[in-house]
Amino acid sequence: METVKLLKSGEFLVAETSPDDVFIPEEFNDEQRMIAQTCQDFLEAEVYPNMADLEKGDRELMKRILKKSGELGMMGISIPEEFGGFGQSFVSQMLVAETTGAGYSFSVAYMAHCGIGTLPIMYYGNKDQRERYVTKLATGELIGSYCLTEPGAGSDANSGKTNAKLSEDGKYYILNGQKMWITNAGFADTQVVFAKIDNDRVMSAFIVERNFTGVVVGNDEHKMGIRGSSTAQIYYNDVKVPVENLLGKRGEGFRIALSILHMGRLKLGANVVGAAKKAVTDSVKYANERKQFGVLISSFGAIKHKLASQVIRLFASESAVYRVSRDIDGMMETLKADCGDTGRASIEAISHYAVEAAILKVFGSEMLDFVADEAVQIHGGMGYSAEMDVERGYRDSRINRIFEGTNEINRLLVVDTAMKRAMKGEFDLFGKAEALFNDLDKITGGESSGESYFIEKSRYIQNFKKVIMICIHGAVKQFAKNLINEQEVLNNIADMMMETYVSESLLLRVTKLENLKEIKPVYRDILDVNVYDTAEIVRKSACDAIYSFASPETTTSLIKAIEALTTVRGVNVKDARRRIADKLIEDNRYGF
Amino acid sequence: MKILVCISNVPDTTTKIKLAEGNSTIDTAGIQWVINPWDELSLTRALELRDDAASGIKSVTVAHVGPASSEPVIRKALAIGADEAIRVNANSPDAYYVAAQLAEVIKKEQFDIILCGIESSDYNGSLVGGMISEFLGIPSASGVSGIKIENGTAVVTRDIDGGKEILEMPVPFVAVVQKGIAKEPKIAAMRGIMLARTKQIKVYEPSAVEPLTNISVLEKPAPRSACRFIDAENPGQLIDLLRNEAKVI
Ligand SMILES: Cc1cc2nc3c(=O)[nH]c(=O)nc-3n(C[C@H](O)[C@H](O)[C@H](O)COP(=O)(O)OP(=O)(O)OC[C@H]3O[C@@H](n4cnc5c(N)ncnc54)[C@H](O)[C@@H]3O)c2cc1C
């Protein structure tokens, strides 16, 4: 791997990145494209034709389809070869997550298996556990699940009551408790269960087999969406779990649970890109067929506006997804050289990018909700018909804001984690923030005459970062340790961080595309509208935050600085969106 | 026995075709190339036969006439499971040229069963298979919708008007196949994709052959004009329109 400059998690706030240091989806090699094609072919051959039956709750069918994907090797992407997988890069793993993300409830079942169901054992298991379980999970011989949530412990995951006690002969942990909302519960052979041993303060993790005596799986929940996936409660009544099935060390469970969630969030960020591409393609196909007032509805400005807005958010989200993925691959390489174990190196690298993981999760799930909602709207009454994919897509999309940590929790994490990393000295956030804050009166937008298109855009992005730093410094100064209780302000900061990270990723992608001579004017249109919108979101969020924390004496100078830093060149958004929509309409599918 | 599957690469069936300047070729920018659907089915069936130990088929090779830029499609065939691949390094100006190049390859490498798709979804010429058999002086069967090996003998099923014709074929022979030869195209498994990386694509330089045809111009079908409805009670108006407006009677 060529050397690229690796940003630490959250460091984007204070650093400038070169387009050469990011990976963009246009750089996939032929092998990666073939891997994605296989996933796509699989959805078309096995999933879509069975969708109606899956939705009616045929769990045997879901299990069979999952196993078929295993036979094709789709479950071994993230697993090293020595444990029966294909040891693919994180970028390739994300590409698979993206492509299968268009598979509605199959995607949820498949991702739960390959991700949270399998990877805790791959990453934290010992050799014996990996050989006994991972080799079979990697081929679909076993189906996996992940059991963290309890009736009384959702967002506050460590508060669970499930308990484990060592048996007198020291051979077993006796497990008692109840888990809730467990994906694949109906048919999973293995469960990674989190429970506290004796009166421990933190949880431990166990590998439980479905057929251990005392494991009782409840009925499937009736859900708003992803109805093809099995979600149920699981009860543990004096279940004897062999001590060999303790995963990681005693008390390491919470760390395992959190690390795996970071991984889940990243993969979810890729999933929603795939789901959104499907929804945009469905939207434009319909708009290119449906006529009203004697013309195709795709010729109406209002519809073009929707189609283009879908594309812009999707394209931007995708740019961020692959940017982080490459960073993770880079970090993995470094760590692998240090610790020698691929599994541990992978999860360390993934957990390192916790800030970006939460960003992809929140931004991506909200992007998909927007895209899915507009897809319904473009279909008019037909969008409300249960016969249409967009109707299912709309219902299925909603879960993404809830699981893998709700978006509220993840917004808090975006800010909290970045600040903690900075406090640990991983990058200089507070020093820079303070300097800016103390020199508010000198702040300008920094416009210089004759700057090039990309230099100007980069200046805007750097300005948005300054806004974020000013707000962080102001809020910390005002609330000190109490900032944690000022969630509204933290949300404002999180929103700015997310929009800025995504816009910067988009800018880097478009710059790199032009460097690679793939000049298509429509990419600049996407960037223009996105940065113009981001400026507005950053301005509004910053103002909301400042009015919430600043004293009347400082408000005026703060707001003045924010206005200077968020002023961007005006864009003819109507024409830009029309050009974007026209390309989509011409292609009749999402092909950006 | 060895099978050769001839594959061509064609624009993905959902591609909106644009003509390049001069209107004698298509604009290839942004086109996603795929294995011709008939060839993909032939390959699928060939692999099924190879994987059935009783068939006596030992290997499946794919051959393609095209420039290096078409290698991803060959790689895909290897990923799906072909054992070997051959590429004749030339553009393919017409069916005669392609058939002549493939015939040369077959002479060198010796295959028992040669499978060609009945047509390719780009130019739909339906010519190459028949020409290969002519070049080599070996039998061919067209419209083949089934192929199996029974006690060492190849048996093909042809769709004919109102029924089926079942033929025993002496090897070597060319089968020009149509849909039905395999149920669904085989999906490349992850292992196959990883293995494809390690398989060589043998490249032959083309033999000196002159194409027999030359495309002077490509034209898109004229857009369909709007449909006019004439009241069933009013046949006179129909006659009038056909005579005076459409000028066809
Ligand atoms: C279909 C489905 C599949 C699932 N699959 C799995 C699975 O496979 N394994 C598994 O372990 N779990 C699974 N879950 C559980 C899921 O992760 C939880 O539902 C989620 O973490 C939220 O927990 P909760 O439902 O208890 O909501 P709560 O935690 O009760 O949250 C309610 C609301 O309060 C907000 N809130 C909570 N705490 C805070 C706070 N500190 N600050 C601000 N706001 C807060 C939340 O954001 C939310 O809006 C699944 C859930 C569903 C619906």
Side-chain angles (χ1 to χ4, degrees), chain A residues 30-31 34-35 37-39 41-42 45 71-74 77 84-86 88 585-589, chain B residues 12 14 16 18 30 32 40 71-72 75-77 79 184 186-191 193-194 196-197:
Chain A
D30 287 339
E31 188 170 297
M34 259 199 274
I35 291 174
Q37 188 62 49
T38 285
C39 298
D41 290 347
F42 183 80
E71 285 159 21
L72 263 188
M74 283 167 60
I77 301 295
F86 302 103
Q88 291 294 299
I585 290 164
E586 161 81 23
D587 293 349
N588 202 28
R589 64 183 173 88
Chain B
D12 177 39
T14 59
K16 276 200 176 168
K18 284 188 232 136
Q32 199 186 341
E40 206 175 11
E71 287 206 355
R75 223 19 105 197
K76 172 91 186 278
E184 294 285 343
K186 190 170 176 219
I187 301 177
M190 296 301 164
R191 188 165 303 285
I193 295 174
M194 312 298 148
R197 206 188 306 160

Side-chain angles (χ1 to χ4, degrees), chain A residues 44 151 167 370 390 427:
Chain A
E44 271 158 30
S167 65
F370 170 82
V390 291
F427 53 91

